[in-house]
Amino acid sequence: MFRTRITELLGIEYPIICGAMYPCSDPELVASVSEAGGIGIVQPLSFTYVHGYDLREALRYVKQMTKKPYGMNIIVEKSSRVYERRMYEAVDIALDEGCRFFITALGNPEWVVKKVKEREGIIFHDVTEKKWAEKDLSKGIDGLICVNNRAGGHAGTKTPAELIAELYDFGVPLICAGGIGNEFSFIEALNLGYDGIQMGTRFIATQECHEKDNYKKAIIDANERDIVLTERVTGVPLSVIRTPYVEHVGTRAGPIARFLLKNRWTKHWMRLWYTLYSVRKFKNMTQKGGSTKDYWQAGKSVAGIHSIEKAEDIIQKFVNAYLSQCECESCECKK
Ligand SMILES: Cc1cc2nc3c(=O)[nH]c(=O)nc-3n(C[C@H](O)[C@H](O)[C@H](O)COP(=O)(O)O)c2cc1C
């Protein structure tokens, strides 16, 4: 047993989430993390657009591989009608297939809350600071994914310690997302008071993740100084490994793009353009095996990642390390 608010709420064994990752989330990775006692999160666009599954079939495939719970990520940012319709459908399909845990990101999660609460599901939302948390919790969110300044994907600006200090008084479960690459940073996050952790980068360098070997090797070879934020992929700072290509094209959006991204009339169109561009770019990169003109997304957790492992072994290593030093009353360490 390893009890925190998150294991109780989600009915899982260990407070470890494999975060959604476009384009890295695939059914085998999601299922292996859930089967190992954590919880894997489906990224619906990655499953369908990158890995070529029909979403319902893919969720059934996950269920064949594990009977344990899994979750789904919905990026709720305003975008094209087509995208929004696909996301409505994704939530409906997931609910029909028995998924009851959703993680929303980048926008107003209200419509997801409405659909999911009707079916007694649980929703967490990504936040990077207190003012967003206040808004989202008023809409019925159950817990917060606290995205810090070390995260892969769209990083926050605050350290894990700063974020928990700001958010603790809300009294809801808090998940530390960012910077966790080994058992020591896992222990550190739980000792700071987080109820659980979400990892992305660590789970890319696994046997179950279908990313190409050169991407996994780049994660293993990188240290945290190699992680830079670029605005040139999605218009919002995104953590990537500094490669010669990234150095060549630079990391700042051009002056016109910056202007259009700030303007209230044009910013949604601009973000849509960036989204379509990055969706295509990452899809090509995954299918063509990667080239020197790649954006390899990763967080500063690369510092603690030194080998490709099985997801199950990573989870067991983290859990054993935590239990061997834990002195609380509620877990196996006392036995
Ligand atoms: C390659 C990559 C793709 C990601 N894609 C998404 C995504 O589609 N949706 C989302 O909410 N978060 C996304 N994230 C964020 C992760 O779910 C997770 O919060 C983050 O990776 C944690 O930081 P870490 O990489 O240091 O472990 C992505 C992260 C990475 C590394």
Side-chain angles (χ1 to χ4, degrees), residues 80-95:
S80 68
R81 289 260 159 78
V82 178
Y83 173 80
E84 286 172 11
R85 204 175 52 238
R86 283 188 77 171
M87 290 304 105
Y88 292 149
E89 280 167 13
V91 172
D92 288 339
I93 291 171
L95 287 167

Side-chain angles (χ1 to χ4, degrees), residues 43-59:
Q43 212 298 355
L45 270 189
S46 183
F47 269 42
T48 53
Y49 190 63
V50 178
H51 296 280
Y53 289 95
D54 167 79
L55 186 60
R56 193 181 294 276
E57 292 305 315
L59 300 186

Side-chain angles (χ1 to χ4, degrees), residues 19-22 43 73 75 105 151-153 178-179 198-201 215 297 301:
M21 289 184 280
Y22 183 92
Q43 212 298 355
N73 170 238
I75 294 183
Q198 171 162 288
M199 292 191 290
T201 306
Y215 186 1
Q297 294 185 71
S301 50

